[in-house]
Amino acid sequence: MANILDGRASFAFEGHNYDLVLDNEVMIDAEDVLGRSWLDAIEEYQRETALGQKPRLKTICAIVYGGLKRNHPEITQKNVIDMICSEDPQVMLAINQAMRGARSPELAPPKAPEGNAPKAAKVSKPGGRKRAGTGK
C-alpha cells in the first residue's frame, strides 16, 4: 500500500541533521503523544496556520515527534519541544514544508469494481401481479 500522507523536510538543529518524514508510519508515534487521531491533528494544524493562528504546542510537538522518531530513534519529546520553542527559522521552515506535503486521505468508502456486485433479487409485490387499469 502506498503512503497516503507524505510530507518531508530536512533541517539542522544544534549541530545535528534531522529528516522529518510525515507518512502513514509516523501516525502511531504521534497518536501515542496526542491521545487522538493523527489526521485530526494534521487538519487542525493546517486550518490554524491558514487562518494565521498558532497551533497548540502539544499538537505540533506530537506531529514533529512522530515524524522524527523513525529516522532518529534517540529523539525525545523534550528535544522536539526545545526545537520548536527555539523558533529557529530552519526548524520552522522544515516543519511547514513537511506539513504542506502531508495530505489527508479521502474518507469516502472505495468504489467496488463494476461487475463484481451481486445482482439484486427481484421482489414480487404482495397479492400477486395486477394488470394496470383493470382494477384486478
Side-chain angles (χ1 to χ4, degrees):
M1 176 182 207
N3 280 323
I4 296 170
L5 303 172
D6 193 10
R8 298 171 183 270
S10 297
F11 64 95
F13 181 74
E14 293 184 350
H16 299 284
N17 293 322
Y18 293 96
D19 294 311
L20 176 60
V21 179
L22 303 180
D23 64 12
N24 291 341
E25 293 181 24
V26 304
M27 289 189 271
I28 296 166
D29 293 318
E31 286 179 346
D32 283 346
V33 175
L34 284 170
R36 67 183 179 120
S37 166
W38 146 272
L39 292 174
D40 289 345
I42 286 281
E43 288 172 358
E44 179 182 298
Y45 175 88
Q46 291 171 340
R47 183 176 50 252
E48 288 172 348
T49 56
L51 295 172
Q53 300 171 344
K54 292 187 178 187
R56 292 177 44 193
L57 183 60
K58 183 175 183 175
T59 301
I60 192 169
C61 285
I63 294 168
V64 173
Y65 173 75
L68 291 171
K69 188 70 176 166
R70 301 282 174 194
N71 290 324
H72 308 282
E74 73 286 353
I75 198 90
T76 66
Q77 290 179 49
K78 181 174 179 351
N79 297 139
V80 174
I81 292 168
D82 291 346
M83 287 176 186
I84 292 168
C85 289
S86 75
E87 296 187 6
D88 181 312
Q90 278 191 15
V91 173
M92 302 315 288
L93 183 63
I95 291 169
N96 286 327
Q97 179 182 338
M99 292 289 192
R100 280 192 307 272
R103 296 285 182 250
S104 299
E106 293 293 328
L107 299 179
K111 286 183 172 180
E114 287 188 33
N116 290 342
K119 294 191 181 214
K122 292 187 177 184
V123 179
S124 62
K125 294 180 183 177
R129 296 182 66 154
K130 295 183 180 179
R131 298 180 115 207
T134 64
K136 295 184 180 183

